[in-house]
Amino acid sequence: MDTLITGGQAVTEAGVIAADLGIRGGRIAAIAAPGALSSSASEVVDAAGLLVLPGAVDLHTHFTGSHDRPLDEVREGTLGAAIGGITTVVEMPHSAPPATTLEAFRRKQALFASASAVDFALWAGLDGRNLEELPALNAAGAVAFKAFLTSGDPSGAATDEKGLPRLGDADLVRAMDVIRGFDGLIGVHAENHELLTAARLEQQAQGRRDARAHAAAGPELAEIEAVSRLLVFAGRTGVRLHVVHVSSAAAAGLIRAARDGVRVTFETCPHYLILDEDDLARIGADARCGPPLRPRTTVEALWTHVLDGAVDAIASDHCPYRPEQKRVGDASIWEAGMGLTGIETSAPMAFSEGVKRRGLSVVEFARMTATGPAKIAGLYPRKGAIRVGADADLALYDPTAEWQVRGSEFHGLGTWSAFEGMTCTGRVVRTLVRGRTVQHDRRRMAEPGFGRFLTRFDDIEARS
């Protein structure tokens, strides 16, 4: 064995077991009773008192979309991902230019390959003009295709050179038909454009600039309607559909009810499970995201879907605006960058709130943070689970450690947090990617560029 993980409680798909893990060639070679494996491994990691979880797979990151320093953010931000127990990131298409063409997609792949601390896969984007590019993007390794049903620009255009425009219904259905042809996945930001635009203009016409006005400008009805429409289109086309960052419990209920006839999955985010509209009013610009934070009653209703196993994935929606891009929103919420930084807190805060506070099983936590997203992206079984033959992607948690969230301590450009000052129970003390420790006690242990590019076509059995 190259590496032996001893003394820990391994969280497998079947349950939590006291087990030693043997790693060879970057993969899990053995799961054995404590003490059953030879201690002659080159490296022995003592995991006594720790939970050994499958490394999280974050389906929804925006490392390159909100600033003008993409290389810095990929290099440092993916170290932050490892510190948060994330071993694979699936990056959205936003960049300059967005990954809607094969050339732009390959440029983004090269950027991540040069700097990422963890393994990575890539989304491609849909802009209504690139239908002919989709098969080539799929062949190049895009694990999914992102569409927006809304835009911050009333015309529906992209709000900047890095973004994507609103996709109209006809273009959306055409894209679904093409993607269905190669059994690809379409992921959609589901909010009704007309409802959002009207609500925002109404708030602005009243002269409102306060944080709660942002909540009023993002009515839950806009999400419910858009999800309803998506489910009809996906059912008719037969495409695999993934609904991103669901904040509405009612929308989650619609997705669940449609599963008998629609191939649909959905994710939510820790901020929709922990923070609420009152927190938005208290925190201000650092809590502006889309969809907006919902009332506490909606948060609690969304938890019912989590606790009964209906949520497929928990994702960060990491959007690392620089602090000054948020501070301009202190005077007017409309000027604040739209999104939250969350790569270091996503899994630990979900663990703290779900496992420690609400009694979520740690097996379910692993399913939603690792196994589920790996399956959605087509990366399972080599990613997302502790099983023989899988990549040795592991997050070692001290389940009792308490720490306070301090955005100033984050890695990457987004050194702020909507969870600022909150206490988190559960800390990732070591993270391994393909058997290599990439962070230990928040210290970098692998060079930038260690991360590998992943596609849904990779064959785990063929890899050496």
Side-chain angles (χ1 to χ4, degrees):
M1 296 294 176
D2 301 326
T3 302
L4 189 62
I5 311 290
T6 66
Q9 297 287 313
V11 182
T12 72
E13 294 168 277
V16 182
I17 57 173
D20 292 350
L21 305 182
I23 300 169
R24 182 185 297 117
R27 290 187 283 179
I28 298 172
I31 303 172
L37 298 176
S38 169
S39 60
S40 61
S42 302
E43 178 185 31
V44 178
V45 176
D46 182 4
L50 304 179
L51 287 173
V52 182
L53 281 142
V57 176
D58 192 338
L59 271 178
H60 194 147
T61 65
H62 294 277
F63 285 100
T64 64
S66 59
H67 50 79
D68 56 3
R69 292 168 54 189
L71 180 61
D72 291 344
E73 173 59 25
V74 172
R75 183 181 61 247
E76 301 302 323
T78 56
L79 172 59
I83 289 168
I86 294 167
T87 52
T88 299
V89 296
V90 189
E91 169 74 355
M92 287 292 176
H94 304 71
S95 52
T100 55
T101 66
L102 188 58
E103 178 184 3
F105 182 87
R106 286 178 170 159
R107 184 181 305 164
K108 191 156 190 179
Q109 177 187 342
L111 170 67
F112 270 76
S114 73
S116 183
V118 298
D119 287 352
F120 66 95
L122 298 176
W123 291 74
L126 298 169
D127 62 11
R129 303 182 301 274
N130 66 336
L131 287 182
E132 293 183 357
E133 293 260 12
L134 303 188
L137 285 163
N138 175 64
V143 296
F145 296 82
K146 178 70 176 292
F148 281 79
L149 302 190
T150 188
S151 167
D153 187 319
S155 73
T159 55
D160 60 35
E161 64 177 355
K162 304 179 187 72
L164 298 174
R166 172 205 179 197
L167 208 62
D169 288 351
D171 286 333
L172 176 65
V173 171
R174 291 188 189 103
M176 285 180 165
D177 281 332
V178 173
I179 293 167
R180 173 64 183 88
F182 50 74
D183 199 29
L185 176 70
I186 185 170
V188 185
H189 178 131
E191 290 181 283
N192 180 291
H193 180 72
E194 286 77 10
L195 290 176
L196 290 191
T197 299
R200 183 176 69 254
L201 293 177
E202 180 180 357
Q203 295 302 309
Q204 292 174 333
Q206 294 174 14
R208 293 189 64 182
R209 298 180 177 183
D210 60 293
R212 203 179 288 274
H214 172 59
E220 187 177 357
L221 178 61
E223 186 174 358
I224 295 168
E225 188 283 331
V227 167
S228 300
R229 182 161 32 106
L230 271 180
L231 293 170
V232 172
F233 293 162
R236 288 300 181 99
T237 61
V239 75
R240 291 192 296 129
L241 169 66
H242 181 67
V243 185
V244 302
H245 53 48
V246 171
S247 68
S248 163
L254 291 174
I255 294 168
R256 296 182 66 179
R259 280 177 166 164
D260 283 346
V262 181
R263 297 195 294 170
V264 59
T265 55
F266 76 102
E267 70 188 44
T268 191
C269 307
H271 44 277
Y272 296 125
L273 296 171
I274 298 173
L275 303 175
D276 61 29
E277 186 179 320
D278 290 340
D279 293 309
L280 170 62
R282 172 181 59 84
I283 297 165
D286 284 352
R288 188 187 188 212
C289 57
L293 300 178
R294 301 298 187 191
R296 177 51 53 177
T297 52
T298 302
V299 174
E300 296 303 320
L302 190 57
W303 266 106
T304 64
H305 297 289
V306 174
L307 294 173
D308 65 10
V311 173
D312 299 288
I314 291 176
S316 70
D317 197 2
H318 177 61
C319 202
Y321 287 97
R322 291 176 283 110
E324 57 267 32
Q325 293 175 287
K326 281 294 191 175
R327 294 287 62 76
V328 295
D330 292 342
S332 171
I333 193 65
W334 313 116
E335 302 303 316
M338 178 80 91
L340 306 185
T341 187
I343 201 70
E344 293 193 33
T345 55
S346 178
M349 288 297 284
F351 180 90
S352 182
E353 180 70 14
V355 176
K356 304 300 289 188
R357 182 169 179 264
R358 294 179 182 261
L360 179 71
S361 81
V362 72
V363 174
E364 274 292 280
F365 170 78
R367 180 188 64 80
M368 286 184 282
T369 58
T371 315
K375 288 180 176 180
I376 291 166
L379 305 177
Y380 178 91
R382 70 190 181 284
K383 299 294 185 183
I386 294 176
R387 53 187 294 160
V388 172
D391 283 352
D393 294 352
L394 305 169
L396 276 57
Y397 274 70
D398 180 341
T400 63
E402 292 190 351
W403 54 282
Q404 283 193 317
V405 176
R406 300 295 183 201
S408 62
E409 299 175 356
F410 286 175
H411 294 72
L413 302 179
T415 51
W416 53 273
S417 178
F419 298 127
E420 184 71 23
M422 294 183 68
T423 297
C424 180
T425 303
R427 180 187 284 277
V428 181
V429 299
R430 184 189 292 260
T431 307
L432 293 84
V433 176
R434 288 176 277 111
R436 170 86 176 270
T437 294
V438 295
Q439 76 85 22
H440 183 206
D441 290 337
R442 300 181 58 83
R443 301 190 311 274
R444 183 188 291 274
M445 304 296 287
E447 66 280 1
F450 174 75
R452 288 182 181 173
F453 176 55
L454 307 169
T455 83
R456 68 188 180 104
F457 302 117
D458 292 345
D459 182 355
I460 190 172
E461 298 301 331
R463 293 167 56 220
S464 60

